[in-house]
Amino acid sequence: MIVAQGLTKSFHDKKRGQIMAVQDVSFTCHPGRIYGLLGANGAGKTTTLRMLATLLKPTHGTATVAGLSVTERPAEVRAQVGFLAASTALYARLTARETLAYFGRLNGLPAAEVAARTQRLADDLEMHEFLDRRVDKFSTGMKQKTSIARTLIHDPAVIIFDEPTLGLDVMAARTILRFVRDCKARGKTVIYSTHIMSEVEKLCDTIGIIHGGRLLAEGSLADLRARYAETDMEEIFIKAIGEKEAA
Amino acid sequence: MNFNQIVTVYLKELRDALRDRRTLVSMFIVPTLVIPIIILGFGVVTAKIIRKARAETPGVMLLGAKDSPEIRAALAAHPRIRIVPARDDFRTLISNKSLRAAVELPDDFDAALLESRPSTVRLYTYDGEIKSGFATGELDRFFRDYREKAIQARLSERGLPAALVRPYEITRQNVAPPEKVGGNLVGGFIPYVIILLCFTGAMYPAMDLTAGEKERGTLETLLCSPVGRTEIVLGKFLVVLTSALSTVVLAGISAMATFPLGALLFAPEAGPARAVGSAAVAAARSPMPQIDPLGFLASLAMVAPIAVLFAAGLLALSLFAKSYKEAQSYVSPLIVVIILPALSAMLPGVELNLQLSLIPILNVSLVCKELVSGIFHWGHLSLIFASSCVYAAIALALAVRMFNRETVLFRT
Ligand SMILES: Nc1ncnc2c1ncn2[C@@H]1O[C@H](COP(=O)(O)OP(=O)(O)O)[C@@H](O)[C@H]1O
Ligand SMILES: [Mg+2]
């Protein structure tokens, strides 16, 4: 469960001055459901998700993740969160097994538990063949699987995806999407950000449209179709942000 | 603070670093090789110069002495010089090093000697040039001996004892330990090389573990885990410190191994020391530094807080950069800042005082110069060690602070 309440984040930039990256964003994500955050580049998706993962501190507002406040108990929040983004890379000089062991240990798991989970994840993701090879020798697909395993090693209740398919080919992207659905099936709370309309259409139970740091519309695909009298997600998106711009 | 997490981060980063060729080179290979190369190279070159200078029978021009066959014959018979025909341009010849030295005698030198008339022997030399120095030294000794013999002859002619003109002998004995002599020259130099190595040893991993990780996107992955930022930075700091200290220890070991090896290879040649009068040549006589071993170990210990200062300072600085390249552009100019104080410690006459004891790096360079000479000023030592520790602690606190600032971690 994720509950965001009035999340706001401003940055100071030498050239651009004060940047309101996220303004007063509130939403709720439920276990066993996928919340899609749809927005163009610079909309504020990454900033929002980083606040949920406690990488950034909100300027105003707060959020709870698995019942824990992101501002008051950040380390415990991170222990409940798996964070996978296009920008979260793997250590090139470690093997897949060493990577999982490292993140397992950082999460406080005993060595035996780490080994057992590594075994299970390698079974699920078909990683045995390259488990003891160094990441810098991996194909994109192998890296993807290792990243997924890294996200899951501590069995988090909440999984945050920030444009995880960015820069991936079709096959690698499909692996990711299948994995996102798996998480949902296992009752995890999933939040998924993207700028790709078709992904939210296929994947998400609830869609939040974010633009200029503000959450402009929210609802299931059916809700949004009804509200904007459009079936195509792209048209819905344009109408949602156009409505705001006109106002 | 969670020590388990610090250890976990440390072990992972260390393993990661040890798999990186650039780190391996800066951590192990460079510190092991630099000092032997410098010392042995210096030894080889100076030994070669000296041997060549000795092997050569220097050409010496004899001017005047036209009516003095006796001194001419004595000079010609001298095995360690070669008399060349007189020419008017001898000054030019000495200046352009085609002639080593010249000696000018009055034409009636033999007669003057017989008749006890005073006369002057004038030597022409190129001051500070080794080969000219050797030739002039030979001439000088030759004419002193010749004068001595003349005196002896006159005394025995008159039936007088030799002690008449030599009421007493003067002998001279060096009581300064050999470390002191070698230490002043090389002593300032070796710790300076070690400080520099310590810096380069910390430099690469510091940049790689911060700016490099940011650039590769692994830092964000790490920050997502429950491990605290203070634990992360301390783990990383310990790895950088390990690298810095390993360069110090390896450089120290290889230096300790090089000194006796060099002394063996370049043992000063037998025979009386030649009076040449140039400090460089005097040192070159035994090209190997004589270093007080205990003082040397103590100087390594003095460098330890500097390693902490470098590790933490470099970590804080390169964390600020977004990419490895940017970090390099911050760090590279610092090398000059490190070299300057270390270098100024090598200047003759720069001696430790209270103010200098508080200047980081310079103070350690200066005290190391004393230490390798076997001088232990406990007051200076404790003041310098303490002030170095304070600077190191400030740098570490700064690194921890930087790591807890999201504007530094997520700079765009
Ligand atoms: N660390 C930062 N410093 C300054 N500005 C930032 C920083 N991070 C993001 N921004 C700005 O905040 C806005 C939202 O960025 P972001 O959350 O990355 O959007 P998205 O992920 O939707 O593309 C953008 O204008 C971006 O330039
Ligand atoms: Mg983004």
Side-chain angles (χ1 to χ4, degrees):
Chain A
M1 180 96 149
I2 301 171
V3 182
Q5 286 166 329
L7 277 183
T8 300
K9 182 75 187 178
S10 64
F11 294 110
H12 292 276
D13 189 287
K14 277 200 201 82
K15 280 173 229 138
R16 295 195 287 167
Q18 180 99 341
I19 300 167
M20 297 303 289
V22 174
Q23 293 182 66
D24 197 21
V25 166
S26 304
F27 57 85
T28 304
C29 316
H30 298 278
R33 295 169 65 85
I34 300 174
Y35 188 98
L37 209 51
L38 180 69
N41 255 342
K45 305 183 292 295
T46 300
T47 306
T48 304
L49 298 183
R50 280 180 175 168
M51 285 191 280
L52 295 180
T54 79
L55 298 179
L56 296 174
K57 280 198 185 73
T59 315
H60 296 292
T62 186
T64 59
V65 173
L68 300 161
S69 159
V70 292
T71 43
E72 277 147 38
R73 303 166 82 172
E76 287 161 83
V77 167
R78 289 198 295 276
Q80 297 293 328
V81 167
F83 188 91
L84 184 68
S87 56
T88 51
L90 296 167
Y91 289 104
R93 293 187 288 262
L94 295 189
T95 67
R97 192 190 298 279
E98 288 164 351
T99 304
L100 298 183
Y102 183 45
F103 284 97
R105 289 208 60 106
L106 289 180
N107 276 285
L109 299 176
E113 182 66 24
V114 172
R117 290 192 187 192
T118 302
Q119 191 63 29
R120 217 174 312 137
L121 285 166
D123 288 339
D124 288 353
L125 292 160
E126 294 170 1
M127 290 173 60
H128 285 290
E129 187 201 330
F130 55 87
L131 204 52
D132 289 304
R133 278 167 36 198
R134 271 170 58 157
V135 167
D136 50 8
K137 304 271 160 34
F138 283 6
S139 68
T140 318
M142 295 173 184
K143 279 187 188 151
Q144 219 48 61
K145 288 179 175 179
T146 310
S147 275
I148 292 170
R150 189 272 301 162
T151 312
L152 292 183
I153 187 74
H154 55 300
D155 195 24
V158 171
I159 304 182
I160 300 175
F161 295 95
D162 186 18
E163 305 207 43
T165 57
L166 202 71
L168 295 186
D169 62 31
V170 181
M171 292 315 290
R174 283 179 73 92
T175 311
I176 298 278
L177 296 186
R178 195 173 60 224
F179 163 63
V180 175
R181 286 198 192 91
D182 269 7
C183 290
K184 171 185 171 174
R186 274 186 271 163
K188 311 275 187 202
T189 305
V190 178
I191 181 163
Y192 186 100
S193 96
T194 183
H195 67 275
I196 303 167
M197 310 291 161
S198 62
E199 280 186 356
V200 288
E201 275 179 315
K202 277 188 280 185
L203 212 57
C204 301
D205 301 298
T206 311
I207 299 167
I209 294 177
I210 185 168
H211 188 73
R214 290 184 183 277
L215 196 63
L216 300 180
E218 190 186 68
S220 67
L221 185 56
D223 291 343
L224 293 174
R225 278 179 174 157
R227 172 140 34 119
Y228 293 99
E230 292 282 354
T231 50
D232 185 53
M233 194 62 225
E234 198 171 312
E235 296 304 323
I236 295 173
F237 181 77
I238 297 295
K239 276 200 174 170
I241 67 172
E243 193 175 76
K244 174 73 196 173
E245 235 109 87
Chain B
M1 206 145 37
N2 184 328
F3 287 97
N4 268 336
Q5 289 184 337
I6 295 175
V7 171
T8 305
V9 172
Y10 173 75
L11 291 177
K12 134 73 183 58
E13 299 291 12
L14 191 63
R15 179 199 304 225
D16 203 347
L18 291 178
R19 287 184 185 170
D20 180 38
R21 205 176 321 119
R22 285 179 289 184
T23 303
L24 285 182
V25 169
S26 74
M27 198 168 162
F28 296 112
I29 303 193
V30 172
T32 317
L33 293 184
V34 163
I35 288 184
I37 287 175
I38 291 176
I39 291 183
L40 295 181
F42 176 70
V44 166
V45 169
T46 48
K48 204 166 163 186
I49 291 174
I50 292 177
R51 206 173 310 122
K52 236 174 116 183
R54 291 218 174 126
E56 175 187 289
T57 310
V60 170
M61 196 174 282
L62 177 56
L63 308 162
K66 291 213 179 71
D67 314 318
S68 307
E70 239 168 83
I71 187 68
R72 283 183 162 277
L75 272 172
H78 191 63
R80 286 207 289 271
I81 53 172
R82 180 169 49 85
I83 299 295
V84 300
R87 277 168 60 176
D88 284 342
D89 58 348
F90 65 94
R91 285 168 199 274
T92 325
L93 292 177
I94 293 173
S95 297
N96 64 28
K97 298 179 189 173
S98 52
L99 180 66
R100 296 303 174 207
V103 54
E104 189 178 33
L105 301 173
D107 285 340
D108 59 346
F109 180 82
D110 284 354
L113 198 60
L114 263 178
E115 295 154 20
S116 298
R117 268 188 284 120
S119 63
T120 304
V121 175
R122 185 169 282 130
L123 301 181
Y124 295 93
T125 185
Y126 190 132
D127 247 347
E129 206 266 315
I130 294 185
K131 291 175 179 175
S132 180
F134 278 135
T136 315
E138 286 301 343
L139 286 172
D140 190 71
R141 227 178 348 266
F142 171 85
F143 279 101
R144 281 175 200 281
D145 289 351
Y146 202 76
R147 183 172 61 189
E148 196 67 21
K149 276 187 209 132
I151 294 170
Q152 299 297 332
R154 285 178 196 175
L155 289 173
S156 60
E157 239 170 53
R158 291 167 176 79
L160 294 170
L164 185 71
V165 293
R166 282 190 113 145
Y168 49 81
E169 293 291 332
I170 305 166
T171 63
R172 194 193 280 211
Q173 203 165 356
N174 178 27
V175 294
E179 298 87 47
K180 180 83 180 108
V181 180
N184 269 333
L185 262 170
V186 188
F189 179 65
I190 296 297
Y192 150 72
V193 172
I194 290 182
I195 288 175
L196 202 61
L197 283 172
C198 176
F199 185 79
T200 55
M203 192 172 88
Y204 180 69
M207 294 192 294
D208 193 56
L209 291 184
T210 53
E213 275 215 31
K214 262 196 209 176
E215 187 175 356
R216 294 189 294 269
T218 50
L219 188 62
E220 193 175 339
T221 317
L222 183 57
L223 292 171
C224 292
S225 75
V227 60
R229 290 181 184 174
T230 305
E231 282 81 1
I232 294 177
V233 67
L234 290 178
K236 284 175 182 290
F237 159 75
L238 289 175
V239 174
V240 180
L241 182 64
T242 302
S243 176
L245 285 178
S246 97
T247 62
V248 172
V249 170
L250 285 173
I253 292 173
S254 82
M256 294 288 256
T258 308
F259 298 141
L261 178 71
L264 214 68
L265 288 177
F266 307 106
E269 274 129 88
R274 289 151 186 248
V276 179
S278 140
V281 177
R285 211 174 298 133
S286 163
M288 283 305 105
Q290 299 278 308
I291 282 191
D292 182 70
L294 204 64
F296 185 68
L297 286 179
S299 68
L300 293 187
M302 294 301 286
V303 177
I306 298 253
V308 176
L309 174 66
F310 285 166
L314 284 171
L315 212 54
L317 187 66
S318 34
L319 181 65
F320 194 72
K322 276 175 300 194
S323 67
Y324 192 80
K325 262 223 161 75
E326 190 185 337
Q328 269 180 322
S329 72
Y330 296 157
V331 167
S332 310
L334 269 191
I335 293 185
V336 179
V337 179
I338 307 305
I339 288 180
L340 274 183
L343 210 58
S344 49
M346 286 172 73
L347 295 176
V350 180
E351 296 284 340
L352 211 47
N353 59 29
L354 194 67
Q355 285 94 324
L356 291 183
S357 293
L358 295 176
I359 299 178
I361 305 164
L362 177 64
N363 57 6
V364 173
S365 314
L366 284 171
V367 84
C368 286
K369 201 161 87 169
E370 292 187 352
L371 284 173
V372 293
S373 305
I375 304 169
F376 288 77
H377 276 311
W378 291 106
H380 281 160
L381 285 174
S382 36
L383 182 62
I384 289 170
F385 195 83
S387 74
S388 295
C389 286
V390 169
Y391 295 126
I394 292 172
L396 186 57
L398 185 72
V400 172
R401 252 188 72 158
M402 289 287 270
F403 217 86
N404 278 291
R405 289 180 55 179
E406 58 182 45
T407 46
V408 171
L409 290 178
F410 296 96
R411 249 182 89 221
T412 49

